[in-house]
Amino acid sequence: MVFTFDELARCKPFTTTMRDLLRFLEQRYRHPIDIEFAVEALKTWPKPAFRITLLQCRPLSQHLSEVNRWVPEGMLERIRYIVYVKPEAYRHIADPFMRMEVGRVVGRINETFKERNFILIGPGRWGTSNALLGVRVTSADIYNCRALIEVAFSDGSSSPEMAYGTHFFQDLVESKIFPLALFPSEEYTFFNWTFFNNAPNILPDLFPVDAEWADVISVIDVPQVTNGRLVEIIMDGHHDEALGYLKQYD
């Protein structure tokens, strides 16, 4: 036995009601919207009747477009700090409870950096409830960052699922945090592993209580290691391309 929604999808009273509901909400929000709803079947014969309860409604971002990978439309300037969770080191943490602690450390950095320009880079699916898939955080742990970059790491047998389409992703959009997915193994993707893995890590100096995590989490003070340059990121959603580079500001 397999439970499906096939009959419901073929039911004209239901599909007509949902179409009218979506059209009404889109007009009120002035954007396409994403909803969650519950349906109670009041009767099925001779004429179906339903009670639809709207559980959640939010506008979909107009700043995103998809070709092969999602890239937002926008630009970030004068980024001084990079908080980098090293994919290889994170993957080798066997204890799931220890993996969860990585998210807590990120949350403490986020709180301290609330007046500073910084971005987050790390492995897998951020915001997941399963710490084996990525860094387990909530919106409260990352809301001060300017961009969240998910680095797809794979064991060679599967491709990691990123956070796009999830509630966490929508929270990023609503908080004006730019989300990006990076697939280093793809032909037209470049990631400067040497810079990120070898740049001096100021985590022990800034957060002595979390110094034991320096092998997993790196806090990079960019101008300190680039002769005063800062990070700039340009994102072209139309062509689904993004570029991050160092720039000398006056």
Side-chain angles (χ1 to χ4, degrees):
M1 300 291 291
V2 178
F3 182 82
T4 75
F5 290 90
D6 292 348
E7 290 299 319
L8 191 62
R10 286 193 287 263
C11 179
K12 189 172 182 180
F14 171 74
T15 57
T16 300
T17 300
M18 291 303 298
R19 186 182 303 112
D20 293 341
L21 174 62
L22 290 169
R23 184 180 297 114
F24 170 77
L25 292 171
E26 182 173 344
Q27 290 172 348
R28 295 301 297 267
Y29 277 91
R30 298 181 181 179
H31 285 296
I33 50 90
D34 171 50
I35 66 172
E36 286 187 8
F37 61 94
V39 180
E40 179 184 2
L42 301 177
K43 64 177 183 177
T44 58
W45 190 90
K47 183 178 180 180
F50 306 96
R51 176 182 291 119
I52 299 172
T53 302
L54 190 63
L55 303 177
Q56 188 172 111
C57 178
R58 67 174 84 198
L60 290 173
S61 168
Q62 295 299 293
H63 302 291
L64 298 175
S65 62
E66 182 179 15
V67 180
N68 295 315
R69 293 290 184 265
W70 288 77
V71 173
E73 186 76 29
M75 181 175 181
L76 289 175
E77 299 179 285
R78 301 177 182 274
I79 301 299
R80 175 170 180 176
Y81 296 98
I82 298 171
V83 179
Y84 174 54
V85 179
K86 301 175 183 179
E88 196 66 24
Y90 184 80
R91 185 169 57 180
H92 282 91
I93 300 175
D95 187 340
F97 293 102
M98 296 297 287
R99 286 194 175 205
M100 291 173 61
E101 186 61 27
V102 172
R104 297 188 184 101
V105 175
V106 169
R108 291 192 285 271
I109 296 172
N110 172 77
E111 179 62 26
T112 302
F113 275 15
K114 59 185 176 183
E115 301 296 334
R116 310 185 191 190
N117 271 351
F118 76 100
I119 60 174
L120 279 170
I121 302 176
R125 182 172 175 170
W126 284 70
T128 178
S129 59
N130 184 349
L132 294 174
L133 300 179
V135 183
R136 183 173 179 176
V137 292
T138 67
S139 300
D141 297 314
I142 54 93
Y143 68 93
N144 285 316
C145 76
R146 302 289 306 283
L148 177 62
I149 302 174
E150 298 181 318
V151 180
F153 64 88
S154 174
D155 59 7
S157 62
S158 62
S159 179
E161 180 184 2
M162 312 312 281
Y164 295 109
T166 64
H167 289 296
F168 181 75
F169 172 71
Q170 291 294 333
D171 289 340
L172 295 180
V173 174
E174 292 181 0
S175 299
K176 295 182 172 57
I177 297 171
F178 286 100
L180 285 168
L182 184 68
F183 294 79
S185 61
E186 294 190 348
E187 180 181 1
Y188 297 106
T189 300
F190 172 74
F191 187 68
N192 194 334
W193 294 101
T194 301
F195 173 82
F196 289 103
N197 289 328
N198 296 334
N201 185 1
I202 63 172
L203 176 69
D205 298 325
L206 289 179
F207 308 96
V209 68
D210 294 317
E212 63 182 296
W213 291 99
D215 290 338
V216 179
I217 304 171
S218 182
V219 179
I220 303 171
D221 186 351
V222 177
Q224 187 180 88
V225 296
T226 62
N227 295 319
R229 288 177 291 177
L230 299 172
V231 174
E232 185 166 285
I233 302 175
I234 296 177
M235 293 155 283
D236 183 347
H238 179 69
H239 293 95
D240 206 43
E241 296 177 341
L243 177 65
Y245 52 91
L246 299 171
K247 180 177 179 178
Q248 186 72 56
Y249 289 88
D250 294 332

